[in-house]
Amino acid sequence: MDYRDKLKELGIEAYRSGKYFCPRCHETRNNKTDKSLSVVYEYDRVLYKCHHCDFQGAVFFDDNSKSFSIKRDYTKPEKPVERDNKEILYKYFEKRGISKDIVDLFQVGINDNKEIIFKYFKNKELVNVKYRTNLGGGKKTFRQEKNTEHVLFGMDLVEQRETLTICEGEVDAMSMAMVGIEAVSVPNGACEKNLQWLENCYDWLKDFKEYVIMADNDEAGQKMVENITNRLGKAKC
């Protein structure tokens, strides 16, 4: 039994940190709208605590995860409005050592606000759109469509099921493609702790024999490595 099964056995169907109805006391509560159960995903465990009946505990991750999908209704993003002429985009990526063919392969676009558009596909369907604005001096900002399904960038382009390279950013995954390595990127960089994308992509991820985790050599990047390896299993990473 892995952590998903343990949570389900407790009556907790929580795919990420947040507030939920308590399985122990919700049915007896007068206030049926109060989500009194706090669930927190940490790097090695899931903590839960009800602030009404004090139902609490921790469920630890293990290295033998089984597939367990928690269904949620996501919002399908609108098709982004893009420039037809992408020369400015091609020139930017050329400076990064990334060819026009790779830009087109990943279906990266640009709009009139000079936002770089990264499209996220799952089973050939557009499920998320992320926008990046370069501010100069290495600084950048990001925004994403709200309530969309978080998945791995480039996952539909991966054909083999031996080794999956997971990068910290979209440009990293595109750089790997330039040298013939099939790679994907997490949707929120190193900052994400809940790893919602892992739950959403688990049935696809579990088929790989091993994973290569590539992150920046800073505190946030190394925490990302730790979070992912704890969830996918250190023996396979």
Side-chain angles (χ1 to χ4, degrees), residues 153-165:
F153 176 72
M155 60 186 290
D156 276 2
L157 300 177
V158 178
E159 296 181 351
Q160 51 82 32
R161 289 295 184 272
E162 294 292 324
T163 300
L164 180 67
T165 299

Side-chain angles (χ1 to χ4, degrees), residues 14 32 78 207:
K32 298 297 185 183
E78 297 286 339
D207 292 334

Side-chain angles (χ1 to χ4, degrees), residues 26-176:
H26 177 66
E27 291 300 321
T28 62
R29 296 284 306 279
N30 291 327
N31 184 0
K32 298 297 185 183
T33 64
D34 182 27
K35 295 182 178 180
S36 59
L37 184 73
S38 293
V39 177
V40 178
Y41 272 75
E42 295 191 340
Y43 77 93
D44 65 340
R45 73 194 75 185
V46 183
L47 301 174
Y48 59 92
K49 177 179 174 65
C50 176
H51 299 282
H52 179 74
C53 71
D54 209 32
F55 168 57
Q56 61 182 305
V59 172
F60 288 81
F61 303 137
D62 62 31
D63 291 344
N64 299 300
S65 296
K66 304 170 188 174
S67 176
F68 173 65
S69 299
I70 299 173
K71 295 184 179 179
R72 181 187 174 195
D73 292 328
Y74 293 104
T75 300
K76 298 298 181 184
E78 297 286 339
K79 184 179 179 181
V81 178
E82 306 177 45
R83 285 186 180 184
D84 291 329
N85 187 339
K86 299 199 294 185
E87 286 307 314
I88 186 174
L89 185 70
Y90 294 141
K91 288 180 180 179
Y92 167 76
F93 278 106
E94 185 179 4
K95 293 179 181 178
R96 302 290 301 265
I98 297 173
S99 70
K100 175 181 179 296
D101 289 342
I102 294 298
V103 173
D104 290 342
L105 176 67
F106 281 86
Q107 300 188 47
V108 180
I110 190 168
N111 61 22
D112 288 336
N113 294 324
K114 295 184 179 179
E115 291 179 304
I116 298 175
I117 303 169
F118 297 107
K119 305 181 196 73
Y120 283 71
F121 295 92
K122 182 180 181 182
N123 299 323
K124 309 303 180 184
E125 181 180 11
L126 181 68
V127 297
N128 188 20
V129 181
K130 182 176 177 181
Y131 299 86
R132 165 175 165 166
T133 301
N134 293 330
L135 303 177
K139 296 182 179 180
K140 50 191 177 289
T141 60
F142 297 95
R143 66 182 179 92
Q144 295 188 52
E145 299 288 352
K146 294 181 179 180
N147 196 40
T148 52
E149 184 177 7
H150 286 190
V151 299
L152 290 162
F153 176 72
M155 60 186 290
D156 276 2
L157 300 177
V158 178
E159 296 181 351
Q160 51 82 32
R161 289 295 184 272
E162 294 292 324
T163 300
L164 180 67
T165 299
I166 302 175
C167 301
E168 184 174 330
E170 295 88 356
V171 178
D172 299 327
M174 296 167 69
S175 299
M176 291 294 100

Side-chain angles (χ1 to χ4, degrees), residues 2-14 39 41 46 48 59 68 70:
D2 80 329
Y3 79 93
R4 297 173 182 81
D5 297 313
K6 292 174 184 176
L7 287 173
K8 187 178 181 181
E9 190 175 69
L10 291 166
I12 301 172
E13 296 197 357
V39 177
Y41 272 75
V46 183
Y48 59 92
V59 172
F68 173 65
I70 299 173

